[in-house]
Amino acid sequence: MNKNIIYIISALLIGLAVGYFAFGGSDSSSEAEETHEHAADANQMWTCSMHPQIMQPEPGDCPLCGMDLIPAEEGSEGLSPNEIKMTENAMALANIQTSIIGAATTTDGRTITLSGKIMRNEEANTVQASYFEGRIEKLHVNFTGENVRKGQLLATIYAPSLVNTQQELITTASMKHMQPELYQAVRNKLKLWKLSEKQINQIEASGKVQEVFPIYATVSGTVTEKLADEGDYVSQGQPILRLSNLNSVWAMFDAYENQISMIKVGQEIKVSTNAYPDKEYTARISFIDPILNTSSRTIAVRATLNNAGGILKPGMFAVGTLENMGGSGIEELHIPATAVMWTGKRSLVYVKTNPDEPIFEMREVTLGKRSGDTYAVSEGLKSGEEIVTHGTFTVDAAAQLQGKPSMMNQVNGKEAHQQHASSVPDLDLERIKVSTKFTSQLSTLFNDYIKLKDALVDDKGSNAQSAAKTFEASLAKLDASELKDKSAKEAWEDYQSTLKSSIAKISSSADIKKQRDEFIALSTAMTNSVQVFGVNKTVYSQYCPMANNDKGAYWLSLEEEIKNPYYGASMLKCGEVKETIK
């Protein structure tokens, strides 16, 4: 009996143990998995596709641009120190495009494509002038673009200077048989004022002095500039109208320095325009500018086109193609010009290192000659590799934010200042002690800069133009002789040159887009000036990664709160404080 009880108790204990491991263990496993999932959710970070530096533990809106945050991809495991990984959303929003480099192409039979504009043929320009002094009573041709025929009445002029000479004609006409030489001299004097034989005979026959005289066109053409208005008093020989014969026009192109050796006078060039892409003109190069433009590193190349139909208008964009350039027959890779970033003498591209994921690596390449919109590549790439061809600067900005090698990080010191002075201030410059007077003058200039910035924030181009003129006046008054230190003088000369150039363009235009484009370089020079010399104020250097066509741009503010001058009300809060300058 006792044994049976022992067996029953043992069976119950075994059953309980089996049940525990069969069900209790399963519950524990589920609880562990659930706990792991909650932990994973708790570790999930959220970022902005356009501002990857933003990281928040929960979803919401980007504090910079207001866009919805997206889940941040985990880590960068498996990436080399030079590689960066972007999100698919960021790729799509920034419209980043890549291309696989195709098979090598040969230089035999290649073409060069030049861009340019249609311009007036300066050899066919004529100025119509007044041949005597007086007041313009009536301007019969009074707007640009009007066609004029040879012999057409252009203007009538009140000419008191001709009164005496007409009286001499009437007097000598009565005794021309007795003094024919004197009579003929007076007639010749009137002819010098471009009076015709018919006009002179009319004065002589009527015996009356005229006070108003006509001016006729000496050539046919189109009015390209009106140089005087009705009521103006003009002197002898003063231009009234400028005419151009548009039966022939110039196609003026820019050729890069590395293309000069392949272009010759007399070479055939095919020209097309954006307005008439299906119509092609064949001409010959008639002129190559002997002087290189040191700013753009280009030379002007000109061809003369027959424009008897008048469909080519000065100012139209044109494309010129030089074919059958020959070559050595050496095979070479070609990549789009949009894929290349320049930093000093170095050229960089971004290569997609993983075909299945958006992982990129910056690589330096050696380029050959440019042909149209492509560059030949002699080193750094091989056929079959995939490179970024659109949105290269966006990828580079992402690399900067992730602390990876980028165009900016690869360049340092003086080279960085020279190559990126137009858009990126140097926030590591050391302060130079200057006189109180110079600091005061620079402070006034800085206050004018803030007014200009505020006008751009408010989307008011006219106010910005007015503020720019005030800034320009303050800049002209700034006394650089106060700078005794050589390094201070050299630094200010550099900054002053950029300030003058940019502010002149802003003050000459009320177009807010153009103003904002020039404000980039102005802000860079102003930031460097404040960093080096100081203005006795706390200044915030602020940055928007989306400005300047996604290349990013800086500006200065007296307030820590972001108010974006590059977008105004459309994206007022886009940006961040990069540095506090005191």
Side-chain angles (χ1 to χ4, degrees):
M1 187 66 178
N2 292 338
K3 289 183 178 181
N4 290 336
I5 293 173
I6 293 173
Y7 289 147
I8 291 171
I9 293 172
S10 298
L12 288 172
L13 290 173
I14 292 171
L16 289 171
V18 171
Y20 173 78
F21 286 111
F23 299 101
S26 175
D27 291 342
S28 299
S29 176
S30 298
E31 290 175 4
E33 289 178 6
E34 187 176 351
T35 301
H36 177 72
E37 288 176 2
H38 284 303
D41 291 340
N43 292 329
Q44 175 66 62
M45 298 297 290
W46 297 76
T47 186
C48 174
S49 55
M50 296 305 296
H51 300 97
Q53 72 271 27
I54 298 299
M55 285 289 175
Q56 294 185 178
E58 56 186 19
D61 296 333
C62 174
L64 299 183
C65 64
M67 294 178 63
D68 291 337
L69 297 180
I70 60 174
E73 295 189 0
E74 296 181 3
S76 57
E77 293 82 359
L79 298 184
S80 74
N82 293 332
E83 290 180 326
I84 66 162
K85 185 175 183 179
M86 300 184 66
T87 65
E88 294 290 349
N89 280 15
M91 293 274 292
L93 287 170
N95 193 24
I96 295 172
Q97 300 172 12
T98 62
S99 298
I100 296 175
I101 304 173
T105 58
T106 177
T107 58
D108 285 339
R110 71 183 176 188
T111 63
I112 294 178
T113 303
L114 306 176
S115 59
K117 286 184 179 181
I118 300 298
M119 300 179 64
R120 295 191 298 268
N121 184 344
E122 293 180 6
E123 295 174 341
N125 283 351
T126 304
V127 172
Q128 297 291 305
S130 173
Y131 300 110
F132 33 82
E133 66 176 343
R135 184 180 65 249
I136 299 177
E137 290 290 300
K138 180 68 175 177
L139 200 58
H140 298 273
V141 177
N142 55 13
F143 63 89
T144 58
E146 186 172 354
N147 291 323
V148 172
R149 305 180 311 278
K150 182 178 180 180
Q152 181 177 338
L153 178 63
L154 299 179
T156 51
I157 295 183
Y158 168 71
S161 59
L162 290 180
V163 171
N164 292 336
T165 306
Q166 291 179 79
Q167 190 62 56
E168 289 177 13
L169 173 66
I170 294 170
T171 302
T172 56
S174 62
M175 51 182 180
K176 58 183 176 183
H177 298 295
M178 299 170 55
Q179 295 183 340
E181 294 85 0
L182 178 61
Y183 168 72
Q184 194 59 46
V186 174
R187 290 182 67 92
N188 290 338
K189 188 176 180 180
L190 290 170
K191 288 179 182 179
L192 291 176
W193 278 310
K194 298 297 180 180
L195 268 67
S196 65
E197 286 281 354
K198 183 179 178 180
Q199 288 176 295
I200 297 172
N201 290 336
Q202 285 177 345
I203 296 170
E204 183 179 337
S206 67
K208 295 181 180 179
V209 174
Q210 296 182 21
E211 294 184 345
V212 177
F213 287 87
I215 294 179
Y216 297 99
T218 57
V219 296
S220 298
T222 301
V223 178
T224 56
E225 189 176 2
K226 191 173 73 167
L227 302 171
D229 295 307
E230 287 185 5
D232 287 354
Y233 194 89
V234 294
S235 57
Q236 183 177 357
Q238 181 175 332
I240 296 175
L241 297 170
R242 191 184 303 278
L243 303 181
S244 291
N245 188 335
L246 299 180
N247 287 333
S248 67
V249 292
W250 284 348
M252 191 72 76
F253 302 101
D254 289 326
Y256 288 97
E257 191 173 3
N258 58 7
Q259 297 171 326
I260 296 176
S261 62
M262 297 182 284
I263 303 174
K264 309 292 181 186
V265 172
Q267 194 171 0
E268 185 177 279
I269 184 171
K270 294 183 178 179
V271 182
S272 61
T273 62
N274 291 351
Y276 306 102
D278 298 329
K279 188 172 181 60
E280 190 174 73
Y281 297 82
T282 300
R284 293 194 177 276
I285 294 175
S286 57
F287 174 77
I288 298 175
D289 197 329
I291 300 174
L292 181 78
N293 185 322
T294 55
S295 298
S296 62
R297 309 305 300 174
T298 61
I299 59 167
V301 176
R302 188 175 74 211
T304 303
L305 303 179
N306 187 337
N307 189 35
I311 66 172
L312 296 176
K313 315 295 184 186
M316 281 183 173
F317 286 107
V319 175
T321 305
L322 299 168
E323 298 181 339
N324 301 319
M325 300 305 299
S328 61
I330 300 174
E331 291 189 340
E332 52 189 18
L333 293 174
H334 282 259
I335 61 174
T338 55
V340 182
M341 298 184 300
W342 295 96
T343 168
K345 297 180 180 179
R346 299 163 59 244
S347 45
L348 310 170
V349 298
Y350 272 96
V351 180
K352 189 176 182 184
T353 56
N354 188 322
D356 302 319
E357 294 187 71
I359 297 175
F360 304 96
E361 178 183 58
M362 188 183 70
R363 190 180 300 174
E364 184 173 349
V365 294
T366 303
L367 300 180
K369 292 181 178 179
R370 177 169 179 161
S371 296
D373 295 328
T374 65
Y375 281 104
V377 180
S378 56
E379 291 182 19
L381 291 173
K382 58 186 177 183
S383 180
E385 288 192 295
E386 189 172 357
I387 64 171
V388 177
T389 54
H390 186 276
T392 313
F393 284 96
T394 302
V395 177
D396 190 72
Q400 293 177 48
L401 292 170
Q402 295 182 29
K404 297 298 181 76
S406 64
M407 181 177 73
M408 302 292 291
N409 295 338
Q410 288 279 326
V411 184
N412 50 55
K414 185 177 180 181
E415 183 183 357
H417 172 72
Q418 292 173 340
Q419 298 302 323
H420 306 289
S422 63
S423 61
V424 181
D426 188 347
L427 298 176
D428 294 324
L429 293 172
E430 293 184 2
R431 180 67 54 87
I432 299 176
K433 188 174 182 180
V434 295
S435 68
T436 304
K437 182 179 178 181
F438 184 85
T439 302
S440 176
Q441 291 175 335
L442 185 62
S443 182
T444 300
L445 190 70
F446 175 73
N447 291 337
D448 295 337
Y449 166 90
I450 292 297
K451 292 176 183 177
L452 171 59
K453 184 266 297 181
D454 290 343
L456 296 177
V457 169
D458 294 336
D459 298 314
K460 294 180 179 178
S462 58
N463 289 3
Q465 186 177 25
S466 176
K469 290 178 180 178
T470 303
F471 182 101
E472 202 168 20
S474 297
L475 181 62
K477 294 177 183 177
L478 204 147
D479 187 6
S481 65
E482 290 292 322
L483 299 173
K484 307 303 181 184
D485 184 82
K486 182 180 179 182
S487 60
K489 286 183 178 180
E490 291 176 351
W492 174 245
E493 287 174 1
D494 185 20
Y495 306 148
Q496 184 186 41
S497 175
T498 302
L499 292 172
K500 280 185 177 180
S501 174
S502 298
I503 202 63
K505 294 174 184 176
I506 296 174
S507 65
S508 64
S509 173
D511 185 335
I512 197 163
K513 183 181 183 305
K514 293 180 181 178
Q515 292 173 342
R516 283 168 169 158
D517 288 343
E518 292 300 328
F519 190 67
I520 297 170
L522 183 80
S523 294
T524 299
M526 200 67 210
T527 302
N528 289 341
S529 300
V530 172
Q531 184 82 2
V532 171
F533 304 116
V535 289
N536 294 329
K537 293 180 177 72
T538 298
V539 181
Y540 299 97
S541 174
Q542 299 173 337
Y543 173 77
C544 172
M546 297 177 67
N548 194 18
N549 295 322
D550 292 331
K551 300 174 189 175
Y554 290 77
W555 73 93
L556 294 176
S557 177
L558 288 171
E559 302 171 348
E560 194 169 1
E561 181 185 0
I562 298 296
K563 292 182 180 179
N564 193 316
Y566 298 112
Y567 289 103
S570 64
M571 211 180 297
L572 186 63
K573 299 300 182 182
C574 183
E576 60 179 322
V577 175
K578 281 289 188 181
E579 186 82 6
T580 301
I581 306 172
K582 296 184 178 180

